Amino acid sequence: MMAYVSIAAALVLFGVLGVYILRSKYETTLPDLRLSDSSIAGTCDVRFGEDVAVAEQVLTRVFSVEDEEFVAGLKSSELERLMVQERKKLALRWVVRKRMEARRIMQEHTRASRTARDLQISGELQLVARYLELRVLCGLLFILVMTFGPAGRHRLAAEADALFLRIRSGRNGAASVTFS
Amino acid sequence: MVALFLWLAGIVLEGALLYRGWKSSRYSKFPLFYSYIGLVFVQSILLYIVGTYYPRSYADAYWALEFVDVFVGCGVVLEIYKVGLQEFPGAARLARNALLLVFLLTVGRVFLTAQEGSHKWSTMMTIQLERDMRFIEIAALLTLLVLFLCYAIPISRNLRGILFGYGIFLGVNILNLTLMRRFGADVQAVASYVQSFTYIFVLGVWTVLLWSPSPHMGSDTAAKGYEEMLEETNSRLGETRSVVRGALRL
């Protein structure tokens, strides 16, 4: 057992050393793109600030069924296909951007907290847990959008609802037949 | 012939490393690392003499000295932690706790091996104990590397050289020890060559990256208190989370 653990530890060490060397090389070749750079951080803040302001509206449009229903009413399958395709792309980009935003928040935190003398381990663990939860949510949303499309989840929910109602009414019917 | 060449190349490189360390005043910056190199340098000469004049005692002398190396090698990991995180008290605090946990988790295994050895000590038992000790060092080094990566700790060229070289050395060493423990004398000759070539490579890395002092990697001091930072990050993560959850609910 210890033999396998030792071999695994050596391989992991080589892997992490490789990542470390690659990352330090990348950081030295791109010094201007460091997140600590105040000008870039400022630009990002503006971009993300705008994102927060319009997020709610964009989100409602991209993930809602209204537009899809409207296009479906035009009876053009080509237009419908094109719209679903574009909506999917937009939604996936939005999810990826949210994931990157979460990563950036954590990077900014670690860069600031590494010098904090009063750092609390429980606080760091709590943040890691929240960050992981957010990553899981983003992953889940990504899979859902990939599989059913941005508005597809509504159809899925509606179909499930209808199926549930049919089952319930079927049961009620069967029960009334049995009692009569 | 190859073995003799590797041996002499090792002694020359160790000598060069010590000479450059003395010339560039790196001793005071990395005292434990240079003590380790100094010890290995003396051992290499001692083993050369024993191998030439008392070949029968070579194996015993080798394993006894190797054992001392393992313990002094722990000092190198300690130095990586101390120098690398000296200007980052927050990350150092995390590292201390993580290293303590790693130490407690793995030290039990070493004591178990040592206890087995108290009944019947053999070369195989020495190999096993050395492997376990190297495992502790690897676990500690991995912990430090992950922290350096997560907290984007900037490291000077000199320390990067020590970290990279010692990491490669430890990885190859534990692989060799594991294979020797498993297959015994069958793989000893190959393992010995692999170890020697790796060691020469690592000495080369150290000599190049520690040839001259590297510039100091400074750090900014935290502008806010930790509580404030935590609250701010928590609320920013919370905002993003609620937007993503909203998209899931829509």
Side-chain angles (χ1 to χ4, degrees), chain A residues 20 114 119-120 124 133 154, chain B residues 93 151-152 226-227 250:
Chain A
Y20 188 76
R114 63 189 181 179
L119 181 139
Q120 293 160 14
E124 292 297 288
E133 187 201 347
H154 290 275
Chain B
R93 193 171 184 181
Y151 283 82
Y226 180 74
E227 286 283 350
L250 271 170

Side-chain angles (χ1 to χ4, degrees), chain A residues 128-148:
Chain A
V128 169
R130 287 200 93 168
Y131 173 64
L132 288 179
E133 187 201 347
L134 190 51
R135 289 292 297 252
V136 169
L137 284 176
C138 286
L140 189 68
L141 193 58
F142 193 91
I143 292 167
L144 283 173
V145 171
M146 273 291 272
T147 319
F148 306 110

Side-chain angles (χ1 to χ4, degrees), chain A:
Chain A
M1 178 65 183
M2 191 62 188
Y4 294 117
V5 175
S6 303
I7 291 170
L11 296 178
V12 170
L13 180 65
F14 290 145
V16 177
L17 272 175
V19 170
Y20 188 76
I21 296 298
L22 283 176
R23 199 167 130 169
S24 51
K25 239 182 171 179
Y26 173 77
E27 278 182 357
T28 47
T29 50
L30 290 168
D32 298 337
L33 288 179
R34 283 184 185 168
L35 275 168
S36 53
D37 192 313
S38 57
S39 62
I40 288 170
T43 317
C44 289
D45 279 342
V46 171
R47 215 189 300 144
F48 281 111
E50 282 172 2
D51 184 42
V52 170
V54 294
E56 205 66 34
Q57 297 164 12
V58 173
L59 210 67
T60 323
R61 299 298 293 189
V62 170
F63 290 95
S64 71
V65 282
E66 285 144 28
D67 288 353
E68 276 195 21
E69 279 169 0
F70 173 74
V71 172
L74 296 174
K75 307 278 183 216
S76 165
S77 59
E78 179 62 17
L79 192 64
E80 207 173 331
R81 190 186 61 79
L82 214 76
M83 196 199 128
V84 170
Q85 207 176 8
E86 288 303 311
R87 280 285 162 104
K88 198 173 185 177
K89 260 192 232 168
L90 206 63
L92 289 177
R93 279 185 74 171
W94 184 84
V95 177
V96 170
R97 220 169 130 180
K98 283 291 140 197
R99 201 177 63 196
M100 280 168 66
E101 191 182 321
R103 196 174 155 197
R104 184 174 154 263
I105 293 170
M106 282 305 279
Q107 276 180 343
E108 282 182 7
H109 173 81
T110 51
R111 272 161 204 261
S113 67
R114 63 189 181 179
T115 49
R117 289 190 181 278
D118 52 345
L119 181 139
Q120 293 160 14
I121 291 149
S122 58
E124 292 297 288
L125 291 176
Q126 183 199 339
L127 277 185
V128 169
R130 287 200 93 168
Y131 173 64
L132 288 179
E133 187 201 347
L134 190 51
R135 289 292 297 252
V136 169
L137 284 176
C138 286
L140 189 68
L141 193 58
F142 193 91
I143 292 167
L144 283 173
V145 171
M146 273 291 272
T147 319
F148 306 110
R153 292 168 303 107
H154 290 275
R155 277 198 302 274
L156 194 76
E159 277 170 27
D161 219 28
L163 184 72
F164 176 72
L165 280 172
R166 272 206 304 275
I167 292 169
R168 207 166 63 173
S169 61
R171 266 194 187 167
N172 285 347
S176 57
V177 166
T178 315
F179 283 116
S180 64

Side-chain angles (χ1 to χ4, degrees), chain B residues 69-88:
Chain B
D69 275 359
V70 175
F71 281 96
V72 181
C74 293
V76 177
V77 181
L78 191 73
E79 192 142 82
I80 293 170
Y81 153 75
K82 231 177 83 184
V83 178
L85 296 173
Q86 103 193 87
E87 291 188 29
F88 301 94

Side-chain angles (χ1 to χ4, degrees), chain A residues 2 6, chain B residues 36 59 62-71 74 109-110 113-114 121-138 166 169-170 172-178 180-181 195:
Chain A
M2 191 62 188
S6 303
Chain B
Y36 174 74
Y62 175 83
W63 286 111
L65 292 175
E66 185 75 2
F67 208 65
V68 178
D69 275 359
V70 175
F71 281 96
C74 293
R109 171 71 204 175
V110 177
T113 310
W121 200 260
S122 63
T123 309
M124 277 300 157
M125 205 59 81
T126 312
I127 292 173
Q128 193 177 326
L129 189 60
E130 188 186 339
R131 186 195 66 190
D132 291 353
M133 285 297 294
R134 292 294 191 203
F135 182 77
I136 296 179
E137 286 182 55
I138 286 183
Y166 200 63
F169 172 74
L170 279 181
V172 173
N173 192 237
I174 203 167
L175 283 177
N176 266 336
L177 290 167
T178 307
M180 274 165 71
R181 172 95 181 93
Q195 185 70 46

